[in-house]
Amino acid sequence: QVQLVESGGGSVQAGGSLRLSCAASGRTFSTNAMGWFRQAPGKEREFVATISWGGGTLYYADSVKGRFTISRDNAKNTVYLQMNSLKPEDTAVYHCAVGRSRIIGTAPYDYDYWGQGTQVTVSS
């Protein structure tokens, strides 16, 4: 059974940093793209960042570009999201997801498996 477990969320003040982790189990995902999405209350799930299977291609939403960094460790079947210079508008539940293929994507339908999410709250 495939399982994705996010961790590292919490409450921080604006300007602070958090590092999210997403550990996958049940099968290896070293040949799949991975991504992070977020969903704020009353809003649609939105794309945050994605990384190709080998880590050579990265893509970010404009709203987080220059502040967030996605990375992965295929040996640990884990993907990370380093979040710096956090803003109140970054407040959301953050979900990691496994891509349907090696190719990165920015839409939810590009992803097969999803974690339950971890809450990130940024106060002003």
Side-chain angles (χ1 to χ4, degrees):
Q1 182 178 355
V2 174
Q3 190 173 18
L4 301 176
V5 179
E6 301 96 338
S7 61
S11 297
V12 295
Q13 290 194 325
S17 298
L18 286 172
R19 189 191 193 209
L20 306 184
S21 299
C22 171
S25 61
R27 52 162 280 200
T28 181
F29 294 110
S30 60
T31 58
N32 295 77
M34 302 284 290
W36 286 94
F37 287 74
R38 67 187 181 186
Q39 189 165 18
K43 294 190 176 181
E44 303 254 329
R45 186 168 296 190
E46 67 169 344
F47 166 75
V48 175
T50 182
I51 184 168
S52 60
W53 67 280
T57 302
L58 313 176
Y59 190 76
Y60 299 92
D62 287 343
S63 58
V64 307
K65 202 172 296 182
R67 301 188 297 120
F68 291 11
T69 303
I70 189 171
S71 61
R72 66 189 296 165
D73 184 337
N74 285 341
K76 296 181 178 179
N77 231 17
T78 299
V79 63
Y80 305 95
L81 186 68
Q82 177 67 43
M83 306 187 296
N84 299 328
S85 303
L86 282 161
K87 304 176 180 179
E89 51 264 43
D90 294 319
T91 295
V93 176
Y94 283 70
H95 301 268
C96 68
V98 178
R100 295 182 184 275
S101 72
R102 299 175 177 228
I103 301 172
I104 61 173
T106 61
Y109 59 71
D110 292 321
Y111 295 83
D112 261 336
Y113 301 103
W114 294 82
Q116 290 297 308
T118 184
Q119 176 70 46
V120 171
T121 303
V122 185
S123 58
S124 57

